[in-house]
Amino acid sequence: MKEFDLIGRYFSDGGHTRKDVVIGIGDDCAVTNVPSNQQLAVTTDTLVAGVHFLEDAPAKSVAYKTVAVNLSDLAAMGAEPAWISLSLSLPTVNDEWLSEFVDGLYELTQYYSVQLIGGDTVKGPMAMTITAQGFIPPGSELTRSNAKPGDWVYVTGTLGDAGAGLDILQNKLNVAGEARDVLINRHYYPTPRVAMGTALRRIASSCIDVSDGLISDLGHILKASGCGANVHVDKLPLSRALTSAVDNAQAIEYALSAGDDYELIFTVGEEQRGNFETSMGGSSVKATCIGQLTGQAGQLSLLKDNQPFTPTNENGYEHTF
Amino acid sequence: MKEFDLIGRYFSDGGHTRKDVVIGIGDDCAVTNVPSNQQLAVTTDTLVAGVHFLEDAPAKSVAYKTVAVNLSDLAAMGAEPAWISLSLSLPTVNDEWLSEFVDGLYELTQYYSVQLIGGDTVKGPMAMTITAQGFIPPGSELTRSNAKPGDWVYVTGTLGDAGAGLDILQNKLNVAGEARDVLINRHYYPTPRVAMGTALRRIASSCIDVSDGLISDLGHILKASGCGANVHVDKLPLSRALTSAVDNAQAIEYALSAGDDYELIFTVGEEQRGNFETSMGGSSVKATCIGQLTGQAGQLSLLKDNQPFTPTNENGYEHTF
C-alpha cells in the first residue's frame, strides 16, 4: 500500500530534518544511516480512540501523546531518539483536526530532534501507531531484567497526575482552578523523560516507564529480574496539584495505580549510588527514592510509616486485554 | 503502553531468530545491530479489516498479507529484510484465530529469515500495522525518482490475478476449478519479490511494487522521475489462470487497474540491459518488458497492437482516501 495524498498534503514538507536520513517520506521505504558505534532501539505503540485516549481529545494532544509514549519507551531503554514512522487510521478527513495533529506531532519532533521518516494513512477507525527508533551504545541498554536485591528504587517527576487528569475529564473527579489545568495537561501532554533515560546508561540496573501504573510497571521489573521490593508509599512523589485536589489517601491511590504518567521507574545498585547522585546534580527532573529491592521474587510490599499498606486497587490500570 | 499477555502468550517463544537482534520481544524496546556497511530501510503499512482485507479472510492470510506487503516495500527499495514489529488491534481474543495468525506470520518470517522483534497488542477494531526494516548498501537503493526517458519498463510475474481473486471472493466473478484456487490464493497469499529486489540493485533505474494497480503505481514513478511512458497492453504478463477465467479484454483491465499483486514494476536503462539479462538468467521469477519511458512528463500512453488503447478504469484501485 502506498502513502496517499494525506501524507503528501500534511506531512511531506514540514517537521525536523536530520542528516542521517538519506530518503524520508515519499518512496517505498525510508533509508537512514545508523552510526557505526551504536545499536538501534526500536519500539512500537498503538493508541486507539476510546481506549487509549478520549474520543473528544484535542488532536494536538493525540499527536503529542502518540509520539510521547513511544519516546518514553526509548527513554526507558536509555536510547536517544532519532526517527519515527506514523500509521494513521482515520474514518474521515477533517482538515482542521489534521492540521492540529500535525502541529502537535511537529512540536515534539522538533523539540527532540526526531524526524518523521514515513508512514501510512488508511481509512478506518481512529487509531495511530508509531514506530520510534533511536540509538544506544553497545552494552548501555537499560533492560527490565538486570536489577538485583538491595538495589534502590527510584521514580522521576511525580506520579498520579495523569490519572487524576483523566478522571477530571470524565467527570469522576471535581477539581477547580490551576490544579485542574495542571492535572489535565499531564494527561493530555505527557513528557517523555528522554534526557534522564540517556543519563541513566551504565548507572541504573533496570528501567521501565510508567504507562500502566507504578504497581503494574514495577511489577514487570520484579518479574523480569526475579526480585521483590519494599516501596514506601509515604515517599511517593506527589505534585502540589494532586495533593491540593484530593486527600492523601486518594493521591497515593492515583500514584500507585493510575497509568499514563510516563515517568521512569529505575533501580540503582548501592555501588552506583555515588555516580548517580553526581550525574543527577544538574538535572531539572527530580528522581525520588521510594524503596529497595528484596530477594523475595515477585513480592511487592507496600509500606506506610513502615507498616504494611494495602491499596484499594492492586491491578494497576490496564488499557488492554 | 506495554505489551500485555497476548504478546507473551502467542509471540514470545517462536519465530525465526537472528544473530543481529540483541534484545527481542519483552522489554521497552528491541535492540539490534545494523551492519556498519549498510543503510537501514524502514517501511510501515497498516491493514484494516473490511478495507484492506475481507472481514472473513482466513487469519493465516491476514498475517501473511500484512508481512508480505511490508516485505514488498523493502523489495521495491532493493533492501534485504531483517526485522519486523507488529501492532495488532483486535476487538476480542479468539485463540483459534490468533494461533492461525501466528502460524501465517512465522511461515513468512522463517522463509525470509526475518525476526519479529516487538510490537503492541491493543483492544480495538481489527487492524494490524507492521514496520519492517532491512539493509541496503549505500547508493544501491531503488527509488521512484531516478528513471530516465528511454529506459525500458518491466514487471515481474503476472498481473491482475489478485484482483480477480478478490472479485471471486466477493461473488463479482464466477470462476470454477483450479483457476479459482490459483486466483484466490494470489489474493490471500501474495509473494513479495524479495530476491528480485536485491538483484535489481545498481541495475534498475527505478522500482515500485504493485499495490494499487499498474497504472496507479507506474504513475508514481512517472511523477517522481518526470517522465512519461508507452505501455503495450498486449505485452502485459497474464497468468494462465486469469486468461482461462476471463476474456482478454477483462484480463487486461485486471492487469492495469487491480491492485494487491505485489509484483515489482521497474525500469532499466539501455546501458544496463545486458547486465540485467545476465543477472536475470538464473532467476525463477520472470520479468517482462511492457514498454518504454518517454520525455512527456506524466503522460502514460497505453497501446494495443501499437494503437492507442483506453482502459475502462484509469484510476487504479485505491483503498484509501
Side-chain angles (χ1 to χ4, degrees):
Chain A
M1 262 124 264
K2 292 299 157 305
E3 302 137 30
F4 281 89
D5 278 359
L6 269 193
I7 288 278
R9 240 191 304 158
Y10 291 95
F11 297 100
S12 68
D13 60 347
H16 181 76
T17 56
R18 291 173 59 102
K19 287 189 180 163
D20 52 17
V21 176
V22 181
I23 297 175
I25 288 173
D27 216 302
D28 293 293
C29 297
V31 178
T32 62
N33 281 309
V34 177
S36 59
N37 58 343
Q38 301 276 323
Q39 299 177 128
L40 186 70
V42 187
T43 184
T44 295
D45 270 317
T46 296
L47 275 67
V48 178
V51 180
H52 303 89
F53 59 90
L54 299 172
E55 308 251 10
D56 62 353
K60 189 177 167 184
S61 150
V62 177
Y64 205 95
K65 200 156 185 166
T66 311
V67 177
V69 302
N70 277 282
L71 297 191
S72 179
D73 277 327
L74 290 178
M77 208 75 193
E80 174 200 338
W83 318 301
I84 57 170
S85 307
L86 167 71
S87 166
L88 189 55
S89 171
L90 294 173
T92 52
V93 177
N94 176 328
D95 275 326
E96 201 186 338
W97 193 95
L98 268 160
S99 298
E100 252 193 69
F101 183 89
V102 173
D103 285 349
L105 190 82
Y106 286 165
E107 192 177 315
L108 271 192
T109 58
Q110 191 73 42
Y111 185 81
Y112 290 104
S113 302
V114 165
Q115 183 169 343
L116 175 69
I117 56 169
D120 195 13
T121 53
V122 299
K123 194 175 173 64
M126 189 187 284
M128 36 287 293
T129 298
I130 281 184
T131 297
Q133 303 190 72
F135 309 141
I136 317 175
S140 300
E141 57 272 14
L142 303 172
T143 65
R144 301 174 184 178
S145 55
N146 204 32
K148 302 277 177 299
D151 289 358
W152 300 95
V153 180
Y154 286 83
V155 64
T156 60
T158 58
L159 292 177
D161 301 330
L166 177 62
D167 278 358
I168 293 171
L169 287 167
Q170 294 187 308
N171 298 316
K172 294 176 185 170
L173 180 65
N174 191 12
V175 179
E178 199 192 325
R180 178 188 175 86
D181 296 342
V182 169
L183 297 173
I184 287 177
N185 267 330
R186 286 271 289 168
H187 168 77
Y188 276 150
Y189 304 101
T191 304
R193 298 301 186 191
V194 171
M196 182 64 95
T198 55
L200 291 173
R201 290 173 182 170
R202 299 186 180 277
I203 289 177
S205 56
S206 72
C207 189
I208 193 169
D209 63 329
V210 185
S211 53
D212 303 305
L214 175 70
I215 292 176
S216 172
D217 292 317
L218 178 56
H220 289 300
I221 288 181
L222 301 185
K223 194 173 169 197
S225 294
C227 292
N230 291 326
V231 167
H232 299 271
V233 301
D234 34 4
K235 293 192 177 163
L236 294 175
L238 305 173
S239 70
R240 198 181 305 177
L242 185 64
T243 53
S244 77
V246 299
D247 66 24
N248 186 253
Q250 244 190 310
I252 288 175
E253 289 298 327
Y254 277 120
L256 287 173
S257 302
D260 281 353
D261 283 317
Y262 301 101
E263 298 294 350
L264 297 180
I265 306 170
F266 57 95
T267 56
V268 177
E270 183 60 35
E271 75 288 359
Q272 285 293 335
R273 236 182 158 185
N275 264 344
F276 170 63
E277 301 291 346
T278 309
S279 65
M280 287 304 111
S283 173
S284 60
V285 179
K286 205 182 154 192
T288 307
C289 184
I290 60 169
Q292 196 170 16
L293 296 187
T294 69
Q296 295 172 286
Q299 288 246 1
L300 173 59
S301 303
L302 301 175
L303 303 164
K304 193 179 179 190
D305 300 324
N306 290 317
Q307 299 298 314
F309 174 84
T310 306
T312 313
N313 169 12
E314 293 205 40
N315 297 318
Y317 170 72
E318 299 205 354
H319 302 283
T320 51
F321 311 105
Chain B
M1 261 125 268
K2 294 297 158 306
E3 301 137 30
F4 280 90
D5 280 357
L6 269 193
I7 288 279
R9 240 193 303 160
Y10 290 94
F11 296 100
S12 69
D13 60 346
H16 182 75
T17 57
R18 292 172 59 101
K19 287 189 179 163
D20 52 17
V21 177
V22 181
I23 297 175
I25 287 173
D27 216 302
D28 293 294
C29 298
V31 178
T32 62
N33 282 308
V34 177
S36 58
N37 58 344
Q38 301 276 323
Q39 299 176 128
L40 187 69
V42 186
T43 184
T44 295
D45 270 316
T46 297
L47 275 65
V48 178
V51 180
H52 303 89
F53 58 90
L54 299 171
E55 308 252 9
D56 61 354
K60 190 177 166 185
S61 151
V62 176
Y64 204 96
K65 201 156 184 167
T66 311
V67 177
V69 302
N70 278 282
L71 297 191
S72 179
D73 276 328
L74 290 177
M77 209 75 193
E80 175 200 335
W83 319 302
I84 58 171
S85 306
L86 168 71
S87 165
L88 188 55
S89 171
L90 293 174
T92 54
V93 176
N94 175 327
D95 276 326
E96 200 185 338
W97 193 94
L98 269 160
S99 298
E100 251 192 69
F101 183 89
V102 174
D103 285 349
L105 191 82
Y106 285 166
E107 193 178 312
L108 271 192
T109 58
Q110 192 73 42
Y111 185 81
Y112 291 103
S113 302
V114 166
Q115 183 168 345
L116 176 70
I117 55 170
D120 194 14
T121 55
V122 298
K123 194 174 173 65
M126 189 187 285
M128 36 286 292
T129 298
I130 281 185
T131 297
Q133 303 189 72
F135 309 141
I136 317 177
S140 302
E141 57 271 14
L142 303 171
T143 65
R144 302 175 183 178
S145 55
N146 205 30
K148 301 278 179 298
D151 290 357
W152 300 95
V153 181
Y154 286 83
V155 63
T156 60
T158 58
L159 293 176
D161 301 330
L166 176 61
D167 278 358
I168 293 170
L169 288 166
Q170 294 187 307
N171 296 315
K172 294 176 186 171
L173 179 66
N174 190 13
V175 179
E178 200 192 324
R180 179 187 174 87
D181 297 341
V182 169
L183 297 173
I184 287 176
N185 267 329
R186 286 271 289 168
H187 168 77
Y188 276 150
Y189 304 102
T191 304
R193 299 301 187 192
V194 171
M196 181 64 95
T198 55
L200 290 173
R201 288 174 184 170
R202 298 187 180 277
I203 289 177
S205 56
S206 73
C207 189
I208 195 170
D209 64 329
V210 185
S211 54
D212 303 305
L214 175 69
I215 291 176
S216 173
D217 292 316
L218 177 56
H220 289 300
I221 289 182
L222 300 185
K223 193 173 170 198
S225 295
C227 294
N230 292 325
V231 167
H232 299 271
V233 300
D234 34 4
K235 291 191 178 165
L236 294 175
L238 305 173
S239 71
R240 198 182 304 178
L242 185 63
T243 53
S244 77
V246 299
D247 65 23
N248 186 253
Q250 243 190 309
I252 287 174
E253 288 298 327
Y254 277 119
L256 287 174
S257 302
D260 281 352
D261 282 316
Y262 300 102
E263 298 294 349
L264 298 179
I265 306 170
F266 57 96
T267 56
V268 177
E270 182 61 34
E271 75 288 358
Q272 285 291 338
R273 237 182 157 183
N275 263 345
F276 171 62
E277 300 290 346
T278 309
S279 65
M280 287 302 112
S283 173
S284 60
V285 180
K286 207 182 152 192
T288 306
C289 184
I290 60 169
Q292 195 170 16
L293 296 187
T294 70
Q296 296 171 284
Q299 287 246 0
L300 173 58
S301 303
L302 301 176
L303 303 164
K304 193 178 179 190
D305 299 325
N306 291 315
Q307 300 297 315
F309 173 85
T310 307
T312 313
N313 170 11
E314 293 204 40
N315 297 320
Y317 170 71
E318 297 203 357
H319 301 283
T320 51
F321 311 105

